[in-house]
Amino acid sequence: MFDATTATASDVPQIVGLIKGILSMEFPEYQAAYATDDLDQLMQAYAGPESTFVVAEENKRIVGTCGIKADGRETAILRRLFVDPAHRKKGMGYQLLQEE
């Protein structure tokens, strides 16, 4: 079973590794199309009262991510919803969205 919690600064290396690993494995031909600038300053990019970054952990290993970024007073952008391939189809994406 996994736990979904708000990301911390110490999670950043695992988060970046998971996301960049999935992008390179599953979308290698589209690397230029997927900007990763928010990953360079993850905690700052998702700071603020209407933004958050949530991770799913299993045995202290991050296996899922979800970023929600404010985009105005009444809207937000869902970003960085990634789940480790071995953990897909178990409801993790849904749980990440509910954690916010």
Coordinates of all heavy atoms in Angstrom, one line a residue:
M1 N 0.8 -1.2 0.0 CA 0.0 0.0 0.0 C 0.9 1.2 0.0 O 2.0 1.2 0.4 CB -0.9 0.0 1.2 CG -2.0 1.0 1.2 SD -3.1 0.7 -0.2 CE -4.1 2.2 -0.1
F2 N 0.3 2.3 -0.5 CA 1.1 3.6 -0.6 C 0.4 4.7 0.2 O -0.8 4.6 0.5 CB 1.3 4.0 -2.0 CG 0.0 4.1 -2.8 CD1 -0.7 5.2 -2.8 CD2 -0.4 3.0 -3.5 CE1 -1.9 5.3 -3.5 CE2 -1.6 3.0 -4.2 CZ -2.3 4.2 -4.2
D3 N 1.2 5.7 0.6 CA 0.7 6.8 1.3 C 0.9 8.1 0.4 O 2.0 8.2 -0.2 CB 1.5 7.0 2.6 CG 1.2 5.9 3.6 OD1 0.1 5.5 3.8 OD2 2.2 5.4 4.1
A4 N -0.1 8.9 0.3 CA 0.0 10.2 -0.4 C 0.2 11.3 0.6 O -0.6 11.4 1.6 CB -1.2 10.4 -1.3
T5 N 1.2 12.2 0.4 CA 1.5 13.3 1.3 C 2.1 14.4 0.5 O 2.5 14.3 -0.7 CB 2.6 12.9 2.3 OG1 3.8 12.5 1.7 CG2 2.1 11.8 3.2
T6 N 2.1 15.6 1.1 CA 2.6 16.8 0.5 C 4.2 16.6 0.4 O 4.8 16.2 1.3 CB 2.3 18.0 1.3 OG1 0.9 18.2 1.3 CG2 2.9 19.3 0.6
A7 N 4.7 16.9 -0.8 CA 6.2 16.8 -1.0 C 7.0 17.7 -0.1 O 6.5 18.8 0.2 CB 6.5 17.1 -2.5
T8 N 8.2 17.3 0.2 CA 9.1 18.1 1.0 C 10.4 18.3 0.2 O 10.6 17.6 -0.8 CB 9.5 17.4 2.4 OG1 10.2 16.2 2.1 CG2 8.2 17.1 3.2
A9 N 11.2 19.2 0.6 CA 12.4 19.5 -0.1 C 13.3 18.2 -0.2 O 14.0 18.0 -1.2 CB 13.2 20.6 0.6
S10 N 13.3 17.4 0.8 CA 14.1 16.1 0.7 C 13.6 15.1 -0.3 O 14.3 14.2 -0.7 CB 14.2 15.5 2.1 OG 12.9 15.1 2.5
D11 N 12.3 15.3 -0.8 CA 11.7 14.4 -1.8 C 12.2 14.8 -3.2 O 12.0 14.0 -4.1 CB 10.2 14.5 -1.7 CG 9.6 14.0 -0.5 OD1 10.2 13.0 0.1 OD2 8.5 14.5 -0.1
V12 N 12.7 16.0 -3.4 CA 12.9 16.5 -4.7 C 13.8 15.6 -5.6 O 13.5 15.3 -6.7 CB 13.5 18.0 -4.7 CG1 13.9 18.5 -6.1 CG2 12.4 18.9 -4.1
P13 N 14.9 15.1 -5.1 CA 15.7 14.2 -6.0 C 15.0 13.0 -6.5 O 15.1 12.7 -7.7 CB 16.9 13.8 -5.1 CG 17.0 14.9 -4.1 CD 15.6 15.4 -3.8
Q14 N 14.2 12.4 -5.6 CA 13.4 11.2 -6.1 C 12.3 11.6 -7.1 O 12.0 10.9 -8.0 CB 12.7 10.5 -4.9 CG 13.7 9.7 -4.1 CD 12.9 8.8 -3.1 OE1 12.1 7.9 -3.6 NE2 13.0 9.1 -1.8
I15 N 11.7 12.8 -6.8 CA 10.6 13.3 -7.7 C 11.2 13.5 -9.1 O 10.6 13.1 -10.1 CB 10.0 14.6 -7.1 CG1 9.2 14.3 -5.9 CG2 9.1 15.3 -8.2 CD1 8.8 15.6 -5.1
V16 N 12.3 14.2 -9.1 CA 12.9 14.6 -10.4 C 13.3 13.3 -11.1 O 13.1 13.1 -12.3 CB 14.1 15.5 -10.2 CG1 14.9 15.7 -11.5 CG2 13.6 16.9 -9.7
G17 N 13.9 12.4 -10.4 CA 14.3 11.1 -11.0 C 13.2 10.3 -11.6 O 13.3 9.8 -12.7
L18 N 12.1 10.2 -10.8 CA 10.9 9.5 -11.3 C 10.3 10.2 -12.6 O 10.1 9.5 -13.6 CB 9.8 9.5 -10.3 CG 8.5 8.8 -10.7 CD1 8.7 7.3 -10.9 CD2 7.4 9.1 -9.6
I19 N 10.1 11.5 -12.6 CA 9.5 12.2 -13.7 C 10.4 12.1 -14.9 O 10.0 11.7 -16.0 CB 9.2 13.6 -13.3 CG1 8.1 13.6 -12.3 CG2 8.8 14.4 -14.6 CD1 7.8 15.0 -11.7
K20 N 11.7 12.4 -14.8 CA 12.6 12.4 -15.9 C 12.8 11.0 -16.4 O 13.0 10.8 -17.6 CB 13.9 13.1 -15.6 CG 13.8 14.6 -15.5 CD 15.2 15.3 -15.3 CE 15.0 16.8 -15.3 NZ 16.3 17.5 -15.2
G21 N 12.8 10.0 -15.5 CA 13.0 8.6 -16.0 C 11.8 8.2 -16.8 O 12.0 7.5 -17.8
I22 N 10.6 8.5 -16.4 CA 9.4 8.1 -17.2 C 9.4 8.9 -18.5 O 9.1 8.3 -19.5 CB 8.1 8.4 -16.4 CG1 8.0 7.4 -15.2 CG2 6.9 8.3 -17.3 CD1 6.9 7.8 -14.2
L23 N 9.7 10.1 -18.5 CA 9.8 10.9 -19.8 C 10.8 10.3 -20.7 O 10.5 10.1 -21.9 CB 10.1 12.4 -19.5 CG 9.0 13.2 -18.9 CD1 9.5 14.6 -18.6 CD2 7.8 13.3 -19.8
S24 N 11.9 9.9 -20.2 CA 13.0 9.4 -21.2 C 12.6 8.0 -21.6 O 12.9 7.6 -22.8 CB 14.3 9.4 -20.5 OG 14.4 8.5 -19.4
M25 N 12.0 7.2 -20.8 CA 11.6 5.8 -21.2 C 10.4 5.8 -22.1 O 10.4 5.0 -23.1 CB 11.3 5.0 -19.9 CG 12.5 4.5 -19.2 SD 12.2 3.3 -17.8 CE 10.5 3.5 -17.5
E26 N 9.4 6.6 -21.8 CA 8.1 6.5 -22.5 C 7.9 7.5 -23.6 O 7.1 7.3 -24.5 CB 7.0 6.5 -21.5 CG 7.0 5.4 -20.5 CD 5.9 5.4 -19.5 OE1 4.9 6.1 -19.8 OE2 6.0 4.7 -18.5
F27 N 8.7 8.6 -23.5 CA 8.5 9.6 -24.5 C 9.8 10.2 -25.0 O 10.0 11.4 -25.1 CB 7.7 10.8 -23.9 CG 6.4 10.4 -23.3 CD1 6.2 10.2 -22.0 CD2 5.3 10.1 -24.2 CE1 5.0 9.8 -21.4 CE2 4.1 9.7 -23.6 CZ 3.9 9.6 -22.2
P28 N 10.8 9.3 -25.4 CA 12.1 9.8 -25.7 C 12.1 10.7 -26.9 O 12.9 11.7 -27.0 CB 12.9 8.5 -26.0 CG 11.9 7.5 -26.4 CD 10.6 7.9 -25.6
E29 N 11.2 10.5 -27.9 CA 11.2 11.3 -29.1 C 10.6 12.7 -28.9 O 10.7 13.6 -29.7 CB 10.5 10.6 -30.2 CG 9.1 10.4 -30.0 CD 8.7 9.1 -29.2 OE1 9.6 8.5 -28.6 OE2 7.5 8.8 -29.2
Y30 N 10.0 12.9 -27.7 CA 9.4 14.2 -27.4 C 10.0 15.0 -26.3 O 9.5 15.9 -25.7 CB 7.9 13.9 -27.0 CG 7.1 13.3 -28.1 CD1 6.7 12.0 -27.9 CD2 6.8 13.9 -29.3 CE1 5.9 11.3 -28.9 CE2 6.1 13.3 -30.3 CZ 5.7 12.0 -30.1 OH 4.9 11.4 -31.1
Q31 N 11.3 14.6 -26.0 CA 12.0 15.3 -24.9 C 12.0 16.8 -25.0 O 11.8 17.5 -24.0 CB 13.4 14.8 -24.8 CG 13.5 13.4 -24.2 CD 13.0 13.2 -22.8 OE1 13.6 13.8 -21.9 NE2 12.0 12.5 -22.6
A32 N 12.2 17.3 -26.2 CA 12.3 18.8 -26.4 C 10.9 19.4 -26.1 O 10.8 20.6 -25.8 CB 12.7 19.1 -27.8
A33 N 9.8 18.7 -26.3 CA 8.5 19.3 -26.1 C 8.1 19.4 -24.7 O 7.1 20.1 -24.3 CB 7.5 18.4 -26.9
Y34 N 8.7 18.6 -23.8 CA 8.3 18.6 -22.4 C 9.3 19.4 -21.6 O 10.4 19.0 -21.2 CB 8.3 17.2 -21.8 CG 7.2 16.3 -22.4 CD1 7.5 15.3 -23.4 CD2 5.9 16.5 -22.1 CE1 6.5 14.6 -23.9 CE2 4.9 15.8 -22.7 CZ 5.2 14.8 -23.6 OH 4.2 14.0 -24.1
A35 N 8.9 20.6 -21.3 CA 9.7 21.5 -20.4 C 9.8 21.0 -19.0 O 8.9 20.4 -18.5 CB 9.1 22.9 -20.4
T36 N 11.0 21.0 -18.5 CA 11.2 20.6 -17.1 C 11.7 21.7 -16.2 O 12.3 21.4 -15.1 CB 12.2 19.4 -17.1 OG1 13.4 19.8 -17.7 CG2 11.7 18.2 -17.8
D37 N 11.5 22.9 -16.6 CA 12.0 24.1 -15.8 C 11.4 24.1 -14.4 O 12.1 24.5 -13.5 CB 11.7 25.4 -16.6 CG 10.3 25.6 -16.9 OD1 9.6 24.6 -17.2 OD2 9.8 26.8 -16.9
D38 N 10.2 23.7 -14.2 CA 9.6 23.7 -12.9 C 10.3 22.7 -12.0 O 10.3 22.9 -10.7 CB 8.1 23.4 -12.9 CG 7.7 22.0 -13.5 OD1 8.3 21.6 -14.5 OD2 6.8 21.4 -12.9
L39 N 10.9 21.7 -12.5 CA 11.6 20.7 -11.7 C 12.9 21.2 -11.1 O 13.3 20.8 -10.0 CB 11.9 19.4 -12.5 CG 10.7 18.7 -13.1 CD1 11.1 17.5 -13.9 CD2 9.7 18.2 -11.9
D40 N 13.5 22.2 -11.8 CA 14.7 22.8 -11.3 C 14.5 23.5 -9.9 O 15.4 23.6 -9.1 CB 15.3 23.7 -12.3 CG 15.7 23.0 -13.6 OD1 16.0 21.8 -13.5 OD2 15.7 23.7 -14.6
Q41 N 13.3 24.1 -9.7 CA 13.0 24.8 -8.5 C 11.6 24.3 -8.0 O 10.7 25.1 -7.8 CB 12.9 26.3 -8.8 CG 14.2 26.9 -9.2 CD 15.3 26.8 -8.1 OE1 15.0 27.1 -7.0 NE2 16.5 26.6 -8.5
L42 N 11.5 23.0 -7.8 CA 10.2 22.4 -7.6 C 9.4 23.0 -6.4 O 8.3 23.3 -6.5 CB 10.4 20.9 -7.3 CG 9.1 20.1 -7.3 CD1 8.5 19.9 -8.6 CD2 9.3 18.8 -6.6
M43 N 10.1 23.1 -5.3 CA 9.4 23.6 -4.1 C 8.9 25.1 -4.3 O 7.8 25.4 -3.8 CB 10.3 23.5 -2.8 CG 10.7 22.1 -2.5 SD 9.4 20.9 -2.4 CE 8.5 21.4 -1.0
Q44 N 9.7 25.9 -5.0 CA 9.3 27.3 -5.3 C 8.2 27.3 -6.3 O 7.3 28.1 -6.2 CB 10.5 28.1 -5.7 CG 11.6 28.3 -4.7 CD 12.6 27.1 -4.6 OE1 12.4 26.1 -5.2 NE2 13.6 27.3 -3.8
A45 N 8.3 26.4 -7.3 CA 7.3 26.4 -8.4 C 5.9 26.1 -7.9 O 4.9 26.5 -8.4 CB 7.7 25.5 -9.5
Y46 N 5.8 25.3 -6.8 CA 4.5 24.9 -6.3 C 4.2 25.4 -4.9 O 3.4 24.9 -4.2 CB 4.4 23.3 -6.4 CG 4.4 22.8 -7.8 CD1 5.6 22.5 -8.4 CD2 3.2 22.7 -8.5 CE1 5.6 22.0 -9.7 CE2 3.2 22.3 -9.8 CZ 4.4 21.9 -10.4 OH 4.4 21.5 -11.7
A47 N 4.9 26.5 -4.6 CA 4.6 27.2 -3.3 C 3.4 28.1 -3.5 O 3.1 28.5 -4.6 CB 5.9 28.0 -2.9
G48 N 2.8 28.4 -2.4 CA 1.7 29.4 -2.5 C 0.4 28.7 -1.9 O 0.3 27.5 -1.9
P49 N -0.5 29.5 -1.5 CA -1.7 29.0 -0.9 C -2.6 28.2 -1.8 O -3.4 27.3 -1.3 CB -2.5 30.3 -0.4 CG -1.9 31.4 -1.3 CD -0.5 31.0 -1.6
E50 N -2.6 28.4 -3.1 CA -3.4 27.6 -4.0 C -2.7 26.6 -4.9 O -3.2 26.1 -5.8 CB -4.2 28.6 -4.9 CG -5.0 29.6 -4.1 CD -6.1 28.9 -3.2 OE1 -6.7 27.9 -3.6 OE2 -6.3 29.4 -2.1
S51 N -1.4 26.3 -4.5 CA -0.6 25.4 -5.2 C -0.1 24.3 -4.3 O 0.1 24.6 -3.1 CB 0.6 26.1 -5.9 OG 0.1 27.1 -6.8
T52 N 0.2 23.1 -4.8 CA 0.7 22.1 -4.0 C 1.4 21.0 -4.9 O 1.1 21.0 -6.1 CB -0.4 21.4 -3.1 OG1 0.2 20.6 -2.2 CG2 -1.4 20.7 -3.9
F53 N 2.2 20.2 -4.3 CA 2.8 19.1 -5.0 C 2.7 17.9 -4.0 O 3.2 18.0 -2.9 CB 4.3 19.4 -5.4 CG 4.8 18.5 -6.5 CD1 4.7 18.9 -7.8 CD2 5.3 17.2 -6.2 CE1 5.1 18.1 -8.8 CE2 5.7 16.4 -7.2 CZ 5.6 16.9 -8.6
V54 N 2.1 16.9 -4.5 CA 1.8 15.7 -3.7 C 2.6 14.5 -4.3 O 2.7 14.4 -5.5 CB 0.3 15.4 -3.7 CG1 0.0 14.2 -2.9 CG2 -0.5 16.6 -3.2
V55 N 3.0 13.6 -3.4 CA 3.7 12.4 -3.8 C 3.1 11.2 -3.1 O 2.5 11.3 -2.1 CB 5.2 12.4 -3.4 CG1 6.0 13.5 -4.1 CG2 5.4 12.6 -1.9
A56 N 3.2 10.1 -3.8 CA 2.8 8.8 -3.3 C 4.1 8.0 -3.0 O 5.0 7.9 -3.8 CB 1.9 8.0 -4.3
E57 N 4.1 7.5 -1.8 CA 5.3 6.7 -1.3 C 4.9 5.3 -1.0 O 3.9 5.1 -0.4 CB 5.9 7.4 -0.1 CG 6.5 8.7 -0.4 CD 7.2 9.3 0.9 OE1 6.6 9.2 2.0 OE2 8.3 9.9 0.7
E58 N 5.8 4.4 -1.3 CA 5.7 3.0 -0.9 C 7.1 2.6 -0.3 O 8.1 2.7 -1.1 CB 5.3 2.1 -2.0 CG 5.0 0.7 -1.6 CD 4.6 -0.2 -2.7 OE1 5.4 -0.4 -3.7 OE2 3.4 -0.6 -2.7
N59 N 7.1 2.2 0.9 CA 8.4 1.8 1.5 C 9.5 2.9 1.4 O 10.6 2.6 1.0 CB 8.9 0.5 1.0 CG 7.9 -0.6 1.2 OD1 7.3 -0.7 2.3 ND2 7.7 -1.5 0.2
K60 N 9.1 4.1 1.6 CA 9.9 5.3 1.6 C 10.5 5.6 0.2 O 11.4 6.4 0.1 CB 11.1 5.2 2.6 CG 10.6 5.0 4.0 CD 11.7 5.2 5.0 CE 11.1 4.8 6.4 NZ 10.9 5.9 7.2
R61 N 9.9 5.1 -0.8 CA 10.3 5.4 -2.2 C 9.1 6.0 -2.9 O 7.9 5.6 -2.8 CB 10.6 4.0 -2.9 CG 11.1 4.2 -4.3 CD 11.6 2.9 -4.9 NE 11.3 3.0 -6.3 CZ 10.4 2.3 -7.0 NH1 9.6 1.4 -6.3 NH2 10.2 2.4 -8.2
I62 N 9.4 7.2 -3.6 CA 8.3 7.9 -4.3 C 8.0 7.2 -5.6 O 8.8 6.9 -6.4 CB 8.8 9.3 -4.6 CG1 8.9 10.1 -3.2 CG2 7.8 10.1 -5.5 CD1 9.4 11.5 -3.3
V63 N 6.7 6.8 -5.7 CA 6.2 6.1 -6.8 C 5.1 6.8 -7.6 O 4.6 6.3 -8.6 CB 5.8 4.7 -6.4 CG1 6.9 3.8 -5.9 CG2 4.7 4.7 -5.4
G64 N 4.8 8.0 -7.2 CA 3.8 8.8 -7.9 C 3.9 10.3 -7.5 O 4.3 10.6 -6.4
T65 N 3.5 11.1 -8.5 CA 3.6 12.6 -8.2 C 2.4 13.3 -8.8 O 1.8 12.8 -9.8 CB 4.9 13.2 -8.9 OG1 4.8 13.1 -10.3 CG2 6.1 12.5 -8.4
C66 N 2.1 14.4 -8.3 CA 1.0 15.3 -8.8 C 1.2 16.7 -8.4 O 1.3 17.0 -7.2 CB -0.4 14.8 -8.3 SG -1.8 15.7 -9.0
G67 N 1.3 17.6 -9.3 CA 1.4 19.0 -9.0 C 0.1 19.8 -9.4 O -0.4 19.5 -10.4
I68 N -0.3 20.7 -8.5 CA -1.5 21.5 -8.8 C -1.0 22.9 -8.6 O -0.5 23.3 -7.5 CB -2.6 21.2 -7.8 CG1 -3.1 19.7 -8.1 CG2 -3.8 22.2 -8.1 CD1 -4.1 19.2 -7.1
K69 N -1.1 23.7 -9.7 CA -0.5 25.1 -9.7 C -1.7 26.1 -9.9 O -2.4 25.9 -10.9 CB 0.5 25.2 -10.8 CG 1.2 26.5 -10.9 CD 2.7 26.2 -10.9 CE 3.5 27.4 -11.1 NZ 3.8 28.1 -9.8
A70 N -1.8 27.1 -9.1 CA -2.8 28.1 -9.2 C -2.6 28.8 -10.6 O -1.5 29.1 -11.0 CB -2.7 29.1 -8.1
D71 N -3.7 29.1 -11.2 CA -3.7 29.8 -12.5 C -4.8 30.8 -12.5 O -5.6 30.9 -13.4 CB -3.8 28.8 -13.6 CG -3.6 29.4 -15.0 OD1 -2.6 30.2 -15.1 OD2 -4.4 29.2 -15.9
G72 N -4.9 31.6 -11.5 CA -5.9 32.6 -11.3 C -6.7 32.4 -10.1 O -6.4 31.4 -9.3
R73 N -7.7 33.2 -9.8 CA -8.5 33.1 -8.6 C -9.3 31.8 -8.5 O -9.6 31.3 -7.4 CB -9.4 34.3 -8.5 CG -8.6 35.6 -8.2 CD -9.5 36.7 -8.0 NE -10.1 36.5 -6.7 CZ -11.1 37.3 -6.2 NH1 -11.5 38.3 -6.9 NH2 -11.6 37.0 -5.1
E74 N -9.8 31.3 -9.6 CA -10.7 30.2 -9.6 C -10.3 29.0 -10.5 O -11.1 28.1 -10.7 CB -12.1 30.6 -10.0 CG -12.7 31.7 -9.0 CD -14.1 32.1 -9.4 OE1 -14.8 31.3 -10.1 OE2 -14.5 33.2 -9.0
T75 N -9.1 29.0 -10.9 CA -8.6 27.9 -11.8 C -7.2 27.5 -11.3 O -6.5 28.2 -10.7 CB -8.5 28.4 -13.3 OG1 -7.6 29.5 -13.4 CG2 -9.9 28.8 -13.8
A76 N -6.9 26.3 -11.7 CA -5.6 25.7 -11.4 C -5.2 24.8 -12.6 O -6.1 24.4 -13.4 CB -5.7 24.9 -10.1
I77 N -4.0 24.5 -12.6 CA -3.4 23.6 -13.7 C -2.9 22.3 -13.0 O -2.1 22.4 -12.0 CB -2.3 24.3 -14.4 CG1 -2.8 25.6 -15.1 CG2 -1.6 23.3 -15.4 CD1 -1.6 26.4 -15.7
L78 N -3.3 21.2 -13.5 CA -2.8 19.9 -13.1 C -1.6 19.6 -13.8 O -1.6 19.6 -15.1 CB -3.9 18.8 -13.3 CG -3.5 17.4 -13.0 CD1 -3.2 17.3 -11.5 CD2 -4.6 16.5 -13.4
R79 N -0.5 19.4 -13.1 CA 0.8 19.1 -13.8 C 1.5 17.9 -13.1 O 1.3 17.6 -11.9 CB 1.7 20.3 -13.6 CG 1.2 21.6 -14.3 CD 2.2 22.6 -14.5 NE 3.1 22.2 -15.5 CZ 4.4 22.7 -15.6 NH1 4.7 23.7 -14.8 NH2 5.2 22.3 -16.5
R80 N 2.4 17.3 -13.8 CA 3.3 16.3 -13.3 C 2.6 15.1 -12.6 O 3.0 14.6 -11.6 CB 4.3 17.0 -12.3 CG 5.1 18.1 -12.9 CD 5.9 17.6 -14.0 NE 6.7 18.7 -14.6 CZ 7.2 18.7 -15.8 NH1 7.1 17.6 -16.5 NH2 7.9 19.7 -16.2
L81 N 1.5 14.7 -13.2 CA 0.8 13.5 -12.7 C 1.5 12.3 -13.3 O 1.3 12.0 -14.5 CB -0.7 13.5 -13.1 CG -1.5 12.3 -12.6 CD1 -1.4 12.1 -11.1 CD2 -2.9 12.4 -13.0
F82 N 2.4 11.7 -12.6 CA 3.2 10.6 -13.0 C 3.1 9.4 -12.0 O 3.2 9.7 -10.8 CB 4.7 11.0 -13.1 CG 5.0 11.8 -14.3 CD1 4.9 13.2 -14.3 CD2 5.4 11.2 -15.5 CE1 5.2 14.0 -15.4 CE2 5.7 12.0 -16.6 CZ 5.6 13.4 -16.6
V83 N 3.1 8.2 -12.5 CA 3.0 7.0 -11.6 C 4.0 6.0 -12.2 O 4.0 5.8 -13.4 CB 1.6 6.4 -11.6 CG1 1.6 5.1 -10.8 CG2 0.6 7.4 -11.0
D84 N 4.9 5.5 -11.3 CA 5.8 4.5 -11.7 C 5.1 3.4 -12.4 O 4.0 2.9 -12.0 CB 6.5 4.0 -10.4 CG 7.5 2.9 -10.7 OD1 7.1 1.7 -10.7 OD2 8.7 3.2 -10.9
P85 N 5.6 2.9 -13.6 CA 4.9 1.9 -14.3 C 4.5 0.6 -13.5 O 3.4 0.1 -13.8 CB 5.9 1.5 -15.4 CG 6.8 2.7 -15.6 CD 6.9 3.3 -14.2
A86 N 5.3 0.2 -12.6 CA 5.0 -1.0 -11.8 C 3.8 -0.7 -10.8 O 3.3 -1.7 -10.2 CB 6.2 -1.4 -11.0
H87 N 3.4 0.5 -10.6 CA 2.4 0.9 -9.7 C 1.1 1.4 -10.3 O 0.2 1.9 -9.7 CB 2.9 1.9 -8.7 CG 3.9 1.3 -7.8 ND1 5.3 1.2 -8.2 CD2 3.9 0.8 -6.5 CE1 6.0 0.6 -7.2 NE2 5.1 0.4 -6.2
R88 N 1.0 1.3 -11.6 CA -0.1 1.8 -12.4 C -1.3 0.9 -12.2 O -1.2 -0.3 -11.9 CB 0.2 2.0 -13.8 CG 1.2 3.2 -14.0 CD 1.6 3.4 -15.4 NE 2.6 4.5 -15.5 CZ 3.3 4.7 -16.5 NH1 3.2 4.0 -17.6 NH2 4.2 5.6 -16.5
K89 N -2.5 1.4 -12.5 CA -3.8 0.7 -12.5 C -4.1 0.2 -11.1 O -4.8 -0.9 -10.9 CB -3.8 -0.4 -13.5 CG -3.5 0.1 -14.9 CD -3.9 -0.9 -15.9 CE -3.6 -0.4 -17.3 NZ -4.7 0.3 -17.9
K90 N -3.7 0.9 -10.0 CA -4.0 0.6 -8.7 C -4.7 1.7 -7.9 O -4.9 1.7 -6.7 CB -2.7 0.2 -7.9 CG -2.0 -1.0 -8.5 CD -0.7 -1.2 -7.8 CE 0.0 -2.4 -8.4 NZ 1.3 -2.7 -7.8
G91 N -5.2 2.8 -8.7 CA -5.9 3.9 -8.1 C -5.0 5.0 -7.5 O -5.4 5.9 -6.9
M92 N -3.7 4.9 -7.8 CA -2.8 5.9 -7.2 C -3.0 7.3 -7.8 O -3.0 8.2 -7.0 CB -1.3 5.5 -7.5 CG -0.3 6.3 -6.8 SD 1.4 5.8 -7.1 CE 1.4 4.2 -6.3
G93 N -3.2 7.4 -9.1 CA -3.5 8.7 -9.6 C -4.7 9.4 -9.0 O -4.7 10.6 -8.6
Y94 N -5.8 8.6 -8.8 CA -7.0 9.1 -8.2 C -6.7 9.5 -6.7 O -7.1 10.6 -6.3 CB -8.0 8.0 -8.2 CG -9.3 8.4 -7.5 CD1 -10.2 9.2 -8.1 CD2 -9.6 8.0 -6.2 CE1 -11.4 9.6 -7.4 CE2 -10.7 8.4 -5.5 CZ -11.6 9.2 -6.2 OH -12.8 9.6 -5.5
Q95 N -5.9 8.7 -6.0 CA -5.6 9.1 -4.6 C -4.7 10.3 -4.5 O -4.9 11.2 -3.7 CB -4.9 7.9 -3.9 CG -4.7 8.2 -2.4 CD -4.1 7.1 -1.7 OE1 -4.1 5.9 -2.1 NE2 -3.6 7.3 -0.5
L96 N -3.8 10.5 -5.5 CA -3.0 11.7 -5.5 C -3.9 12.9 -5.7 O -3.7 14.0 -5.1 CB -2.0 11.6 -6.6 CG -0.8 10.7 -6.3 CD1 0.0 10.4 -7.6 CD2 0.1 11.4 -5.3
L97 N -4.9 12.8 -6.6 CA -5.8 14.0 -6.8 C -6.7 14.3 -5.6 O -7.0 15.4 -5.3 CB -6.7 13.7 -8.0 CG -5.9 13.7 -9.4 CD1 -6.9 13.2 -10.5 CD2 -5.4 15.1 -9.6
Q98 N -7.0 13.2 -4.8 CA -7.8 13.4 -3.6 C -7.1 14.0 -2.5 O -7.6 14.6 -1.6 CB -8.4 12.1 -3.2 CG -9.3 11.4 -4.2 CD -10.5 12.4 -4.6 OE1 -11.2 12.9 -3.8 NE2 -10.6 12.6 -5.9
E99 N -5.7 13.8 -2.5 CA -4.9 14.3 -1.4 C -4.9 15.8 -1.2 O -4.8 16.3 -0.2 CB -3.5 13.7 -1.5 CG -2.6 14.0 -0.3 CD -3.1 13.3 0.9 OE1 -3.8 12.3 0.9 OE2 -2.8 13.9 2.0
E100 N -4.9 16.5 -2.3 CA -4.9 17.9 -2.3 C -5.9 18.5 -1.4 O -5.8 19.2 -0.5 CB -5.1 18.5 -3.7 CG -4.9 20.0 -3.9 CD -5.9 20.8 -3.3 OE1 -7.1 20.6 -3.5 OE2 -5.6 21.8 -2.6

